[in-house]
Amino acid sequence: MNTDPTSPAQPFEIFLVAAPGLEPVLCAEASDRGFTNPTMVKGGVTVTGGWPEVWRANLELRGATRVLARIASFRALHLAQLDKRARRVPWAEILRADVPVRVEASCKASRIYHAGAAAQRIERAIAEELGAPIVKAAPKKTGKPADKDAPEEDTRAVQIKARIDDDLCTISVDSSGESLHKRGHKEAVNKAPMRETLAALFLRQCGYDGREPVPVVDPMCGSGTFVIEAAEIAAGLKPGRSRSFAFEQLANFDPARWQSLRGSTGTVTPPPVRFYGSDRDAGAITMSRANAERAGVGAWTDFAHHAISDLTPPEGPPGLVIVNPPYGARIGEGKSLIPLYHAMGQTLKTRFAGWRVGIITNEAALAKATELPFQEGGVSVSNGGIRVTLYQTGVLG
Ligand SMILES: C[S@@+](CC[C@H](N)C(=O)[O-])C[C@H]1O[C@@H](n2cnc3c(N)ncnc32)[C@H](O)[C@@H]1O
């Protein structure tokens, strides 16, 4: 990693943010995609590379929530030192004077303990050394009526993250902007959609990495997330192909090189199998079809309106059933769902011999109600604030 802020030499450390608990799965994906030195750390995976790798990580990795480029790292024992060293970061090589910047700081086990004061020193260094406009982070929305008057985040602003840990200040640029689960295709979502990044990591955890595409069935597909992700993986479509990224606003962005990276990696192979979603809610099926069309996978996906009790396996080879059934917001609230889980388990056990099953839910009692032979060891992960676990079976007998 580049530890001298006066020298922006490449390669530097690139931090891939992962949903806590799924770091090993993202690490395997980064390794499969040929990133250098993938190393698992708490909350993510580090790889090394230069800006083209930062772009490629945003374009190709399905499981990363965002990609941070660690542009500088130096010791800072007090605010005056932070001020001085932050001014020596070659801001003009990375940021543009006409693009607003937002700075967020955190302090842990350090002599500098006031995150607000630390952020202010870095903001001032950027404003005075480069002249870029500084915007303040909008306060977190609480859902209270007064919030409707709260300022909206400036989504054009580039985010700088400073982390001071054990007196070492690491400065990163958020190269992604909007969270990477927003692939740019989904306009319609139902009540509790699975984030695409999580869906992709759960599919990979179930052994589905696109190397040997098998049919994938989601019998409670909602907005179609698992089905669409699985079809994209099988077709070799890059998850970031349709969206924009914060790195396009940086001083070092090279549009021609980006175009060639985006174009050259987009070989679409029609998958040899199909991907199936169903739901008892007719609106969910309309939504899923529209989302699949926008994602360019409409030709390889089938969505049908029926309840799980009417589910039968599609013709052809067995594959993977992956499903995220309804669950209660809090532990214990899901009791009324036990009959639904039980019936789902019976349907899968009696009709899906030869298939593997992955169920994502938030209560062990609900998983147990299916009476499916789950393997040990699912990790619990936060999906929109609710902790969920993937329960997986081997091949059903
Ligand atoms: C948590 S949501 C799934 C979200 C989905 N994974 C997504 O990313 O949008 C649960 C879905 O199960 C469906 N559902 C509930 N009971 C069902 C049943 N008996 N048969 C089929 N679908 C059902 C609901 O309509 C809802 O769309």
Side-chain angles (χ1 to χ4, degrees):
M1 164 173 192
N2 171 28
T3 48
D4 177 359
T6 59
S7 149
Q10 299 184 25
F12 46 81
E13 195 173 83
I14 302 168
F15 185 73
L16 312 169
V17 179
L22 293 179
E23 294 93 338
V25 194
L26 178 59
C27 195
E29 188 190 7
S31 168
D32 274 4
R33 300 245 48 112
F35 285 91
T36 306
N37 226 354
T39 309
M40 226 165 32
V41 293
K42 191 165 176 277
V45 173
T46 59
V47 296
T48 47
W51 287 96
E53 281 74 39
V54 170
W55 305 343
R56 191 166 76 82
N58 277 289
L59 176 65
E60 292 187 0
L61 291 176
R62 292 193 166 267
T65 312
R66 58 184 62 250
V67 177
L68 308 179
R70 291 190 160 162
I71 54 165
S73 173
F74 50 83
R75 282 177 69 73
L77 301 181
H78 47 78
L79 287 169
Q81 197 169 48
L82 175 65
D83 186 282
K84 193 167 154 209
R85 295 193 169 168
R87 285 171 190 275
R88 285 171 48 204
V89 174
W91 295 112
E93 290 177 22
I94 296 154
L95 302 177
R96 275 173 29 189
D98 62 330
V99 174
V101 179
R102 191 170 52 237
V103 178
E104 190 189 274
S106 65
C107 307
K108 197 175 136 210
S110 297
R111 272 166 266 200
I112 297 176
Y113 56 84
H114 192 310
Q120 190 268 341
R121 295 311 189 278
I122 297 165
E123 287 169 355
R124 203 167 62 191
I126 296 171
E128 292 181 8
E129 299 299 318
L130 176 73
I134 303 296
V135 294
K136 290 285 175 193
K140 286 221 161 48
K141 302 227 168 185
T142 59
K144 292 187 182 145
D147 270 359
K148 70 178 177 5
D149 301 322
E152 284 298 323
E153 286 269 0
D154 185 339
T155 48
R156 215 173 67 92
V158 168
Q159 173 111 35
I160 296 289
K161 290 178 187 283
R163 204 188 67 196
I164 308 178
D165 194 349
D166 200 13
D167 297 329
L168 183 72
C169 176
T170 306
I171 296 190
S172 309
V173 183
D174 174 1
S175 68
S176 305
E178 270 203 306
S179 167
L180 294 178
H181 79 272
K182 299 202 171 167
R183 310 284 200 220
H185 307 122
K186 203 184 252 181
E187 276 166 22
V189 291
N190 67 338
K191 276 193 292 263
M194 173 71 45
R195 296 195 161 187
E196 284 71 2
T197 41
L198 270 188
L201 291 175
F202 283 140
L203 280 164
R204 179 173 271 274
Q205 236 184 341
C206 289
Y208 184 86
D209 56 12
R211 258 183 274 235
E212 279 178 48
V214 291
V216 173
V217 171
D218 179 352
M220 299 190 182
C221 67
S223 51
T225 318
F226 280 116
V227 181
I228 295 169
E229 279 297 310
E232 287 192 17
I233 293 168
L237 288 164
K238 306 291 161 195
R241 66 196 179 281
S242 310
R243 55 164 279 167
S244 59
F245 299 94
F247 64 71
E248 292 169 47
Q249 310 265 22
L250 298 180
N252 54 19
F253 180 56
D254 179 342
R257 201 158 168 193
W258 168 236
Q259 271 320 320
S260 80
L261 179 68
R262 198 150 75 157
S264 71
T265 53
T267 330
V268 179
T269 326
V273 289
R274 298 185 68 78
F275 305 89
Y276 304 86
S278 51
D279 201 291
R280 70 165 175 202
D281 173 5
I285 295 308
T286 309
M287 234 185 265
S288 293
R289 284 191 186 127
N291 289 333
E293 281 304 325
R294 268 191 296 271
V297 298
W300 313 310
T301 50
D302 289 304
F303 292 98
H305 173 214
H306 60 74
I308 193 160
S309 47
D310 294 326
L311 180 72
T312 50
E315 278 185 16
L320 173 71
V321 176
I322 189 158
V323 55
N324 162 219
Y327 44 73
R330 275 181 287 271
I331 298 298
E333 274 183 11
K335 275 206 181 73
S336 61
L337 296 168
I338 285 195
L340 173 66
Y341 277 71
H342 181 73
M344 174 174 73
Q346 293 310 302
T347 300
L348 295 174
K349 269 205 293 195
T350 52
R351 300 181 199 162
F352 280 76
W355 289 67
R356 286 177 300 118
V357 178
I359 294 180
I360 294 104
T361 188
N362 70 336
E363 284 192 58
L366 290 175
K368 196 163 169 233
T370 64
E371 294 175 3
L372 287 166
F374 292 118
Q375 298 160 349
E376 296 284 310
V379 290
S380 125
V381 182
S382 172
N383 178 42
I386 298 177
R387 296 209 72 81
V388 294
T389 302
L390 167 68
Y391 295 88
Q392 289 186 68
T393 71
V395 173
L396 296 181

